[in-house]
Structures are given as C-alpha cells and as structure tokens.
Amino acid sequence: MEPGSSKNAFFVRGSSSEKVSDDKDIISGLHDSIIYHILSFLDMKYVVQTCVLSKRWENMWKTVPNLSFKYVSFPLFQKDRIRFGFMDFVDMVLYHRGMFKMRSFKIACGWCCNPLRVNSWLLNAINSKVEEVHISVDMMGSTGMPPCLYSCETLRILKLENDYNELVTPEDFYLPNLKSLHLVSVVLSEKLIADVFAKCPALETLIFERCLFNHMMILNISSLVLKTLVIKPEKTPCYLHGCRINISAPNLISFICRDFVTRNYFLENLFSLEKAYMDLRIEDAYVCEAEELHDERRKVYAQRMIRCLSSVQRAKTIIMSPSLFELVSEYPRKFRQLAASFVNLTTLRIQAWLYRNCLWGIVCILKNSPRIEVLILDVVEKNCVSYQNYQFLVQEMLDGNLPEDYEDELRLEYPLRYLKHVEIRWLQGCISEFELLQFLLRNAVSLKVLKLTATQRRRARTEETIARFYEKLKAFSSVSPELQVSFSMD
C-alpha cells in the first residue's frame, strides 16, 4: 500500500479514539512476525503479488517461513499450461528464497506434477529445516512417499494425501521428531502401521481420514506416547469388512472414531482418556438402519458398542451417535451397568432420535454420572427408506422397546446437583422431548442455562406445533432458582 493511496481514515481504539493520518501505512508498520503470520493463510501465488505494495514488501515474499502451493489457484482452461506454469512457479519461488529457514511447506498439485520435481522441492524444504509438510499429489502411488522425507530429523508434522494408493516404507524410514501424522485417502497395511509406531518414537497425534483397510484382518495401534487418535475411514459400504482393530494407548487423551460397527474395536489401557467421540454406524444407512437388523446381528452390534463405551468410561467428555445410542439403550440391564461406570463424566453430547428407550437411556446416564455439568442433545431424524409414513415413525418413537421400570425411572426424584448447562437442538415437539425436559426441570437443582432450538424444516412439524409445545413447557416450574431459559426457531 503506497503512502497516500488510502482515502479512508483509520481509528486506533485505546483510552480514547485517535484519528490516524490518511497517508499512514499501518500494515507495513507491523512487526515482521505478524506480517508473516497473516501471509501464512495465503497461497504463495498471492503472497508473491504483495511485492508491488511498497519498497518494504518488495522482497518479503522471499523470506516467508510458511509456504503453500495449490495448483487450483492457476488457470484451468489448458492442462499443459497449468501443469508447467505451476511447476515453474514453485521452482521460481524456491530458487529466489535461497536457504532461509522454512517452518512449513504445503503442496497440493493433484495430477499435474512430475515426481522428480516434487522430490526436488521437498529436498529444498528439508535442507531449509522444515518442520511441517503437507503433500497432496496423485503420483505418489507408484513411488510411496518421496524418499527424502524418510529420515528428516526436523520434521514434526506430516500430512499425506495419496488418492487411494498404498504407501510403501523403506528400511531406512525413521522420523525421530515427528509429533503428528495425518494420512488421507491412503490404503493402510499392517507393515505401514507397524513402521509408523516403530520408527516414529515421538508420535503424539495420529489421524486416519478416508483411508482403506483393504485386506487387513488385524490393525494394531499400540503406543505409550500417543495422545490423540482419529479414525474416520472411507464411508463407502463396498469397502467394508470385518477388520479387528486393537488399540492400547495409556496416555491417549482424545479419541475420535467415526466408523462402521462391522469393524470390531478392542480398546485397552485408556487410563488418561479425557474426550471420546464414538460415532459407530450401521454399514448401510440407506437400506439398513438399526431396527431393521436381524435379531442376532443386532445383538452382536450392540455388544460391540457396549464394549467400546465401557472402554472409554474414564473420559470426561463423551459424544455418542444415533445408531450407537439406540442399540445400547435397548439392553436396560447392561446399559445401567455401563452408565454407572461414567464416574468422571462432566460433558455429555448425544445425537439421537428420541425413541422412549433412548429417553430412558439419557435419564439413566444422568442419574449415574455424579459429576455431569453439561448436556447437549441433538435431536435427529431417522434416515431409512422403509419409513415412508412419518406418522408411523412418530408412533414408534412414542412406544419404543421400553424397560419395565420406564415410568418409575422418569418420575423418581433424583437431584442432579452439578448439571448447570443444557442445550437441546432441533426440537420437534414430541412427547418424549417434553418428558425429558420435565425430568430436567424437576431434578436439576443447579441448572443455570436451558437453551432450546426448534426447527420448522422437519416433516409434520409446524411453527404452531412448536409454539404449543413451548407454552406447555413454560407452565412447568423449575426446581432451580437461577435458571435462564432461551428459545429460538431456526
């Protein structure tokens, strides 16, 4: 920005508003570290263009520590032009910046890059003491990771996107300081996983995103230093098979699992776990929701889900998905035993369709979790082609497969001494929702915030229905003197 180019006055707020001269270039007056941080959010194509702003900006692009190159920022009307134009641009930037220290190097070039040139770019980054590398290139399948990455001693964060090819690690693969590994669209193998834990001794974060478990019968994840584990495999049902996944991580703090229950999880030694997001789903949500399973298969899936939940019982925050919560709450005796084990639970988030057995399950957890402070409930709809008649579905929601003591469980006075914050999103005006709210208002003696959000987008629900629901709720008194209720419609 050239002096005098701005026609707008800037104001700096301190003890009083003070007008700054129109010809003052505030951005250029910032410290280099702040400018570098701002530029780290931009693609290098636009970072280079800042050289025309002023004398100070003329060479700043050559010393930025965070470099990001995306081929999509180049014209797409001619393949050869984008291919060679993009590669030449990366070459030019790396040539002019010399050997300045590089903190991060991110490259997304899809199909348009020559493997040899990609390797040369990565070698340049490694020689510049790079700490973070993100690679998204289609050509990696035939060569595995670029060889120069195998023994980078400064590398701390690595993200690889590989277009559903298998990564092949060589014998000299060793990343002694790698803290975080994020694999996207990679075909996993037993050798790859074994090498990761054997040759990345400092690894604390491991993320599998849209990865395939092809031909794997057993996946072993065992680490004494792992703190964060995320498993979000490919969602396409045709890639499913009954792989057994063994996880043992005594220092794991956060575990996120969004997978199909066809894979059999065995979780052990999760002594340090604080947050667990358990989204275990039925294998084909478009054809077979939980209630359509054969009884034997349904029982097997429920047992797997209960086993997984019992393994994360030490967590302070637990998030449960609809399929998981519905299945486990159908087994009252086992579910009550499970709920009694959540002794550290302070935050519970449940995504559920409110069958009455699900309502009973929520109440059961609240009564058996002495430290719970926050409850967030997302009311979701069934997504199954066999339910064409929504009114029939609503009746199912009201009946359900209930435990014998269902009515007594809801009416029983049980003070929830620590529950302070409750959010219920996408209310539909069902009886089960009202019963849950009655239970909370009657027992949550310390409740301070009750936030309700209703929706008009669901079938058979109108603004008039929701309004009647809310008016009926207002007539019910709360045991908590400090309660503030907010209600909104989306």
Side-chain angles (χ1 to χ4, degrees), residues 402-429:
L402 304 177
E404 293 180 358
D405 59 350
Y406 171 79
E407 297 292 343
D408 293 337
E409 193 84 36
L410 287 180
R411 291 173 182 166
L412 186 66
E413 299 295 329
Y414 191 93
L416 306 172
R417 301 189 185 280
Y418 296 95
L419 187 62
K420 299 177 182 178
H421 186 104
V422 174
E423 291 185 38
I424 303 181
R425 303 167 180 169
W426 308 311
L427 281 167
Q428 301 183 62

Side-chain angles (χ1 to χ4, degrees), residues 368-435:
N368 287 279
S369 303
R371 300 182 182 180
I372 193 164
E373 298 179 3
V374 178
L375 170 66
I376 301 174
L377 174 62
D378 297 327
V379 182
V380 300
E381 280 188 317
K382 301 292 286 182
N383 180 26
C384 193
V385 295
S386 65
Y387 283 106
Q388 299 297 332
N389 189 328
Y390 185 67
Q391 295 300 328
F392 174 74
L393 175 57
V394 170
Q395 189 59 45
E396 282 254 315
M397 291 174 69
L398 299 182
D399 296 337
N401 180 22
L402 304 177
E404 293 180 358
D405 59 350
Y406 171 79
E407 297 292 343
D408 293 337
E409 193 84 36
L410 287 180
R411 291 173 182 166
L412 186 66
E413 299 295 329
Y414 191 93
L416 306 172
R417 301 189 185 280
Y418 296 95
L419 187 62
K420 299 177 182 178
H421 186 104
V422 174
E423 291 185 38
I424 303 181
R425 303 167 180 169
W426 308 311
L427 281 167
Q428 301 183 62
C430 293
I431 294 176
S432 52
E433 295 171 346
F434 187 77
E435 289 178 336

Side-chain angles (χ1 to χ4, degrees), residues 315-333:
K316 296 180 180 179
T317 299
I318 296 180
I319 304 173
M320 301 186 197
S321 65
S323 295
L324 183 150
F325 195 73
E326 180 192 2
L327 275 180
V328 298
S329 59
E330 287 185 357
Y331 296 84
R333 184 176 62 84

Side-chain angles (χ1 to χ4, degrees), residues 119-321:
N119 287 345
S120 70
W121 302 335
L122 290 170
L123 183 59
N124 183 292
I126 291 170
N127 290 334
S128 300
K129 310 296 183 183
V130 69
E131 298 178 9
E132 180 177 354
V133 172
H134 294 199
I135 309 175
S136 177
V137 286
D138 293 349
M139 58 80 190
M140 284 168 55
S142 60
T143 60
M145 286 192 296
C148 52
L149 273 181
Y150 290 139
S151 56
C152 178
E153 294 186 358
T154 60
L155 192 61
R156 298 172 60 86
I157 300 173
L158 177 60
K159 180 177 180 180
L160 298 172
E161 186 168 357
N162 196 23
D163 195 35
Y164 300 107
N165 290 298
E166 184 174 346
L167 289 181
V168 180
T169 55
E171 293 300 324
D172 60 350
F173 170 52
Y174 186 64
L175 298 173
N177 295 305
L178 188 69
K179 296 284 188 180
S180 175
L181 177 61
H182 187 170
L183 299 179
V184 184
S185 303
V186 171
V187 177
L188 302 178
S189 66
E190 294 180 14
K191 181 181 183 303
L192 173 64
I193 302 303
D195 282 350
V196 164
F197 288 109
K199 301 178 180 181
C200 303
L203 190 66
E204 296 181 353
T205 299
L206 179 60
I207 302 173
F208 298 128
E209 182 180 351
R210 302 195 309 272
C211 293
L212 300 183
F213 294 80
N214 287 12
H215 312 300
M216 288 188 66
M217 297 306 297
I218 298 178
L219 171 62
N220 290 312
I221 298 176
S222 180
S223 172
L224 296 175
V225 296
L226 194 65
K227 295 181 179 179
T228 300
L229 176 61
V230 180
I231 301 178
K232 297 190 291 184
E234 173 59 49
K235 297 180 180 180
T236 307
C238 63
Y239 289 111
L240 295 177
H241 69 284
C243 175
R244 172 174 172 144
I245 300 178
N246 301 320
I247 299 174
S248 176
N251 290 302
L252 193 69
I253 296 174
S254 176
F255 177 46
I256 299 175
C257 180
R258 301 185 62 182
D259 201 357
F260 295 92
V261 74
T262 45
R263 279 187 271 270
N264 204 0
Y265 280 82
F266 288 83
L267 313 177
E268 297 179 339
N269 303 322
L270 305 185
F271 304 126
S272 305
L273 193 66
E274 295 185 4
K275 180 179 180 180
Y277 178 19
M278 306 302 294
D279 184 3
L280 295 174
R281 293 160 289 163
I282 309 305
E283 63 265 27
D284 192 345
Y286 298 100
V287 177
C288 182
E289 286 290 0
E291 75 286 337
E292 296 181 23
L293 294 172
H294 295 300
D295 289 343
E296 189 61 33
R297 194 172 168 200
R298 183 187 189 90
K299 185 177 180 180
V300 170
Y301 284 177
Q303 288 174 344
R304 290 183 180 182
M305 292 178 173
I306 289 173
R307 185 179 64 238
C308 286
L309 284 177
S310 65
S311 299
V312 300
Q313 60 185 331
R314 294 181 176 86
K316 296 180 180 179
T317 299
I318 296 180
I319 304 173
M320 301 186 197
S321 65

